Amino acid sequence: MDVDLRKLRYFVAVAERLHFGRAAEALHIAQPVLSRQIRALEFELKVQLFVRTRRATELSPAGEQLLADAGPLLASAEALRRRATRAARGADSFTVGFMPGLIVTAAVRTLRERHPGLTVEVVRTTWDDQTEAIHDGRVDIGYVRLPIDQRGLRVRPLMSEPRVAVLPTGHRLAGKDMTDIADLADEHLLQDPDAVPEWRDIATELRRPGRRRTGPVFHAVEEKLEHVAAGRGVVVLPLSVVTFYTRPDVTYVPVTDIAPNQVCLAWDSARRNPLIGEFATIATDLVTDGQ
């Protein structure tokens, strides 16, 4: 049996909101149409996907399983579409992904100069999608920050850079030449603790059962800096990120006893585009030459 991807997208919209009305509004379709499509999907799969009462809509066990499986399936379909679109455009375009704080201008300019008819685009990625953008075809090659899931990728080390503690300007550590991770043990971290395992292993708020401070984990650099400036916690970032986003209400102190951040180039190991290898060589040579 073939699964209708359109019905699957409708299902995911409802499953993520657990509300048919809000899902229909997000999909820009009428609620009765959405309900019919979900019933049709249930009929095709011969399972009940939702348990609906007057007060709530919940996923059935089959619905929970389908939601877990639907994400990768829809992502693969979207990646296929993007790769086909890119192939249809031919070899006249090339896209480079880059993480915050990294400047790729010199490498992009060099590639353009070597291939005057080539359109070279750049796409800013984040911690959440830096590898996803490679897999789904949004970028041909990406400047990534480790750690990443390297399955299906070729990864070439490029450089490393120190990491710093980002603090509000009135912080007790502000103005110090350097610090160590133990000085941050009593701080609240505004990012995923797994991103700073050295802090996670000694953090006061993680070592006391039930004492972990609640609150969102922020992913965008701009969000992190806003909350640091407001005195709600600290973050640990690569040095280039902080210097790129300089602002007067935030300062930073080098942390001496944590591993540096590793910057690499990464691309889909199945791709055979010769421009990928050429760009990787250009970028590596520029770093070697100190540009």
Side-chain angles (χ1 to χ4, degrees):
M1 180 194 69
D2 295 328
V3 176
D4 186 333
L5 292 180
R6 179 168 56 91
K7 292 191 184 78
L8 195 58
R9 291 189 184 94
Y10 288 174
F11 161 76
V12 170
V14 178
E16 289 179 340
R17 295 165 178 81
L18 293 178
H19 194 285
F20 276 75
R22 287 195 288 270
E25 183 178 351
L27 293 166
H28 305 291
I29 62 174
Q31 183 173 334
V33 173
L34 177 59
S35 296
R36 286 197 297 271
Q37 292 295 316
I38 296 300
R39 286 197 298 270
L41 180 61
E42 289 178 323
F43 178 78
E44 292 168 6
L45 297 176
K46 296 180 173 53
V47 296
Q48 181 181 2
L49 298 173
F50 295 99
V51 178
R52 283 162 275 192
T53 67
R54 291 183 178 181
R55 293 188 175 184
T57 298
E58 298 179 353
L59 283 167
S60 69
E64 291 177 352
Q65 183 62 57
L66 183 61
L67 180 60
D69 294 336
L73 180 60
L74 291 174
S76 295
E78 178 61 16
L80 185 150
R81 183 193 67 78
R82 284 181 170 146
R83 287 194 293 267
T85 300
R86 183 176 296 278
R89 291 202 303 263
D92 60 352
S93 68
F94 189 82
T95 304
V96 178
F98 67 98
M99 288 285 285
L102 301 178
I103 298 175
V104 302
T105 308
V108 168
R109 182 189 299 119
T110 301
L111 189 67
R112 283 176 177 154
E113 291 171 349
R114 290 187 183 183
H115 301 274
L118 182 69
T119 299
V120 185
E121 305 288 353
V122 293
V123 172
R124 180 183 182 274
T125 58
T126 69
W127 285 104
D128 296 326
D129 70 353
Q130 58 176 335
T131 57
E132 178 184 319
I134 299 169
H135 288 302
D136 68 19
R138 273 178 285 165
V139 305
D140 294 290
I141 191 169
Y143 287 73
V144 300
R145 294 188 184 276
L146 300 186
I148 61 170
D149 183 348
Q150 299 188 21
R151 288 176 293 182
L153 299 176
R154 289 193 63 184
V155 177
R156 177 180 294 186
L158 199 60
M159 61 183 179
S160 64
E161 58 175 315
R163 291 190 291 167
V164 300
V166 188
L167 318 163
T169 52
H171 194 275
R172 60 184 174 83
L173 297 176
K176 292 189 66 173
D177 292 333
M178 61 186 63
T179 189
D180 56 47
I181 198 65
D183 284 336
L184 302 174
D186 292 333
E187 303 291 337
H188 174 57
L189 198 70
L190 294 166
Q191 64 199 113
D192 185 348
D194 289 339
V196 193
E198 300 92 345
W199 176 88
R200 180 198 60 201
D201 294 340
I202 63 169
T204 301
E205 67 180 47
L206 297 183
R207 292 167 67 86
R208 297 175 182 172
R211 292 292 300 277
R212 167 65 172 161
R213 288 176 58 180
T214 59
V217 170
F218 302 101
H219 300 281
V221 175
E222 296 85 352
E223 288 181 325
K224 292 174 183 176
L225 297 183
E226 283 292 333
H227 288 275
V228 169
R232 294 171 182 163
V234 303
V235 293
V236 175
L237 296 175
L239 176 61
S240 65
V241 176
V242 183
T243 55
F244 186 82
Y245 289 92
T246 300
R247 48 186 292 172
D249 50 2
V250 165
T251 189
Y252 64 88
V253 178
V255 183
T256 59
D257 57 347
I258 62 175
N261 177 244
Q262 300 294 326
V263 178
C264 299
L265 293 168
W267 60 94
D268 189 327
S269 59
R271 296 284 305 280
R272 296 294 179 264
N273 185 347
L275 289 172
I276 294 176
E278 183 177 356
F279 184 87
T281 299
I282 291 170
T284 303
D285 289 346
L286 287 171
V287 170
T288 302
D289 295 339
Q291 298 184 40

